[in-house]
């Protein structure tokens, strides 16, 4: 039972160690997930600013459509022949004007040199979007002799069906409209056209220049966000155009408010983990020490065989099992070495100890898988034989042990011989406890020695009364 109690304690300590390790791992994953969620929230907020800026720019276009459409229908909706004669006076103060049908054919252009540009515009994606959505659309930046301008494509109804009026908008005018959107971002911000050409930027980047920080994956019409070369980017399309709002900030700066709390949390976790690991190490050392101590208490230090106390526990378990399932034959074999004392006296205790170890090893080798051997003390051993079919089987095991031990031992250059006297006691109705079984086997062994040693004797009730 002592071994069983130790096993329970050992299992409990091991489970506590595993629980502690699981706690450390769980806390580590929790911290990592918490910090990842916090970073995701920062990135999400940053992306929201970009989307809000893009939506504000898109709202400006919506408002412009409501203003410009009536003017276009009032001035440019007449017959094509009349419009070609009068278009020059309709865009006073504006460098040029082009009117196209929904199929891209030219209605009128002023000056006439804009005919080539009209063809280019009609073939572009911005014109197709303006016709498809029937909403004001902003085109890609154009560099005129007078400076960079943005074509404004305004759909409207003419006498011959849907038309598109194209007028140039000075870049300065667009910059003033976008300034409120930039205020929201609080970061480097750019408005770029469909060719990633800068239209306006928060840090004064010259219009007409390529985007200084190319954004992988920033396709027109879709959102993109991610880290490139240490900078965090968000790109959002401007509704009603092929434009995009791109905002960028150093990733380290964006996450700076989180870094100090994260470092503090990980330091605390490291201290916590170190404490838990220390406890686990102490627990493991304790388990190993308990195991060694229990093994030392339950096993003979010389031969490594189980001691008498452990053997008694085993017999009690066998007897209890027999009560539940009667009919199984079990025997105890009490073994005493014949001729050991003269060898020990003549060659010394070291040789005697080596001889005892050799005998123990031969007993192990001669046993069946279900047998159990113990050193009972001095030169006495006892074996528990289970699952025997008949009493003769116990005698056969004893005879095999006697012959096996009788073979000579080569120890320290000496050829040594010992014999065995063996007493057999069966687990039956007369032996309902371990000590009685051992006592009966011991009586049978002494009877074997009285019969001339080297004998095998089975216990009978008359031996107890002798």
């Amino acid at each position: 039972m002592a071994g069983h109690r130790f096993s329970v304690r050992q299992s409990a300590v091991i489970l506590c160690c595993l629980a502690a390790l699981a706690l450390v791992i769980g806390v580590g994953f929790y911290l990592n997930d918490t910090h990842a969620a916090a970073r995701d929230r920062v990135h999400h907020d940053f992306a929201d600013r970009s989307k809000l800026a893009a939506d504000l720019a898109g709202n400006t276009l919506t408002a412009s459509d409501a203003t410009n459409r009536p003017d276009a229908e009032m001035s440019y909706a007449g017959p094509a022949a009349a419009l070609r004669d009068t278009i020059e006076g309709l865009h006073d103060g504006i460098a040029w004007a082009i009117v196209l049908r929904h199929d891209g054919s030219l209605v009128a252009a002023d000056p006439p040199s804009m005919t080539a540009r009209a063809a280019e515009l009609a073939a572009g994606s911005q014109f197709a979007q303006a016709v498809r959505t029937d909403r004001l659309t902003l085109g890609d930046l154009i560099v005129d002799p007078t400076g960079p301008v943005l074509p404004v494509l305004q759909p409207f109804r003419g006498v011959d069906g849907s038309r598109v009026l194209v007028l140039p908008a000075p870049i300065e005018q667009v910059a003033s409209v976008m300034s409120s959107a930039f205020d929201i971002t609080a970061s480097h911000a750019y408005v770029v056209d469909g060719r990633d050409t800068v239209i306006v930027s928060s840090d004064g980047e010259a219009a007409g220049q390529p985007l200084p920080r190319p954004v992988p994956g920033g396709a027109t019409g879709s959102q993109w966000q991610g880290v490139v070369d240490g900078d965090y980017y968000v790109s959002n399309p401007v509704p009603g155009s092929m434009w995009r709002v791109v905002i960028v900030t150093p990733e380290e700066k964006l996450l700076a408010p989180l870094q100090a709390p994260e470092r503090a949390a990980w330091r605390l976790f490291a201290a916590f983990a170190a404490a838990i690991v220390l406890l686990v190490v102490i627990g493991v050392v304790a388990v190993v020490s308990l195991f060694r101590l229990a093994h030392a208490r339950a096993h003979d230090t010389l031969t490594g065989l189980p001691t008498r106390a452990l053997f008694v526990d085993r017999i009690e378990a066998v007897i209890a099992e027999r009560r539940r399932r009667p009919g199984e034959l079990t025997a105890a074999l009490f073994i005493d070495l014949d001729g050991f004392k003269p060898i020990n006296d003549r060659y010394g205790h070291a040789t005697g100890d080596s001889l005892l170890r050799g005998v123990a090893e031969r007993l192990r080798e001669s046993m069946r898988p279900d047998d159990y051997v113990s050193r009972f003390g001095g030169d006495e051993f006892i074996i528990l034989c289970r699952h025997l079919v008949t009493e003769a089987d116990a005698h056969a095991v004893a005879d095999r042990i006697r012959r096996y031990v009788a073979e000579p031992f080569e120890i320290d250059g000496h050829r040594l011989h010992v014999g065995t006297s063996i007493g057999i006691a069966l687990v039956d109705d007369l032996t309902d406890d371990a000590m009685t079984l051992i006592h009966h086997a011991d009586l049978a062994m002494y009877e074997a020695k009285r019969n001339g040693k080297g004998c095998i004797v089975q216990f009978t009730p008359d031996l107890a009364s002798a």
Side-chain angles (χ1 to χ4, degrees), residues 50 188 190 192 195-196 210-220 222-229 231-236 244-249:
S50 170
H188 293 294
Y190 304 89
V192 297
R195 299 189 299 255
D196 276 354
L211 184 66
R213 300 179 177 94
V215 185
T220 301
S222 63
Q223 185 188 60
W224 183 90
Q225 59 190 92
V227 180
V228 179
D229 296 333
D231 289 331
Y232 193 79
Y233 287 84
V234 178
S235 170
N236 273 286
R244 289 182 297 132
V245 171
V246 180
I247 62 174
V248 57
T249 191

Side-chain angles (χ1 to χ4, degrees), residues 36-102:
R39 290 190 291 271
D40 287 343
R41 284 194 298 271
V42 170
H43 290 151
H44 182 74
D45 292 342
F46 188 72
D48 283 346
R49 293 203 300 268
S50 170
K51 187 175 187 305
L52 184 56
D55 289 343
L56 282 175
N59 291 340
T60 301
L61 296 182
T62 301
S64 299
D65 180 87
T67 302
N68 295 340
R69 186 183 296 267
D71 292 341
E73 291 178 348
M74 181 180 298
S75 302
Y76 299 94
L83 185 58
R84 282 192 289 269
D85 295 333
T86 61
I87 189 171
E88 181 178 357
L90 295 176
H91 57 277
D92 186 28
I94 299 177
W96 50 268
I98 299 172
V99 180
L100 299 167
R101 296 184 181 87
H102 72 280

Side-chain angles (χ1 to χ4, degrees), residues 383-430:
I383 295 176
L384 187 67
C385 299
R386 300 181 59 192
H387 307 307
L388 300 173
V389 178
T390 65
E391 295 181 8
D393 291 338
H395 286 267
V397 173
D399 185 61
R400 183 171 67 250
I401 291 173
R402 181 179 60 180
R403 288 185 283 103
Y404 202 45
V405 174
E407 295 178 5
F409 291 86
E410 298 291 339
I411 298 174
D412 298 331
H414 306 293
R415 190 176 179 86
L416 306 177
H417 295 266
V418 291
T420 55
S421 294
I422 303 176
I424 301 174
L426 298 176
V427 176
D428 52 27
D429 296 336
L430 298 178

Side-chain angles (χ1 to χ4, degrees), residues 61-292:
L61 296 182
T62 301
S64 299
D65 180 87
T67 302
N68 295 340
R69 186 183 296 267
D71 292 341
E73 291 178 348
M74 181 180 298
S75 302
Y76 299 94
L83 185 58
R84 282 192 289 269
D85 295 333
T86 61
I87 189 171
E88 181 178 357
L90 295 176
H91 57 277
D92 186 28
I94 299 177
W96 50 268
I98 299 172
V99 180
L100 299 167
R101 296 184 181 87
H102 72 280
D103 61 359
S105 60
L106 180 64
V107 177
D110 183 70
S113 58
M114 289 293 104
T115 301
R117 177 167 294 173
E120 293 175 1
L121 290 169
S125 57
Q126 292 85 2
F127 178 79
Q129 178 172 325
V131 171
R132 184 180 67 256
T133 62
D134 194 33
R135 300 290 295 275
L136 183 144
T137 302
L138 299 173
D140 292 339
L141 187 139
I142 297 173
V143 179
D144 273 351
T146 58
V149 295
L150 293 162
V152 179
L153 292 84
Q154 176 63 66
F156 67 99
R157 295 293 298 176
V159 296
D160 53 358
S162 298
R163 292 182 179 181
V164 176
L165 171 64
V166 186
L167 298 174
I171 197 70
E172 296 81 6
Q173 180 180 349
V174 176
S176 65
V177 171
M178 294 295 175
S179 60
S180 59
F182 287 161
D183 292 340
I184 297 172
T185 64
S187 305
H188 293 294
Y190 304 89
V191 177
V192 297
D193 63 17
R195 299 189 299 255
D196 276 354
T197 300
V198 173
I199 297 171
V200 62
S201 70
S202 61
D203 53 3
E205 190 78 29
Q209 299 298 316
L211 184 66
R213 300 179 177 94
V215 185
T220 301
S222 63
Q223 185 188 60
W224 183 90
Q225 59 190 92
V227 180
V228 179
D229 296 333
D231 289 331
Y232 193 79
Y233 287 84
V234 178
S235 170
N236 273 286
V238 176
S241 73
M242 295 293 186
W243 296 359
R244 289 182 297 132
V245 171
V246 180
I247 62 174
V248 57
T249 191
E251 172 82 347
E252 184 176 355
K253 178 181 177 182
L254 182 65
L255 300 178
L258 302 178
Q259 290 175 351
E262 284 186 1
R263 284 195 295 268
W266 283 115
R267 288 194 190 102
L268 288 174
F269 172 74
F272 167 76
I276 293 297
V277 169
L278 179 61
L279 291 175
V280 169
V281 170
I282 293 174
V284 170
V285 172
V287 169
V288 172
S289 299
L290 284 172
F291 179 78
R292 289 176 177 172

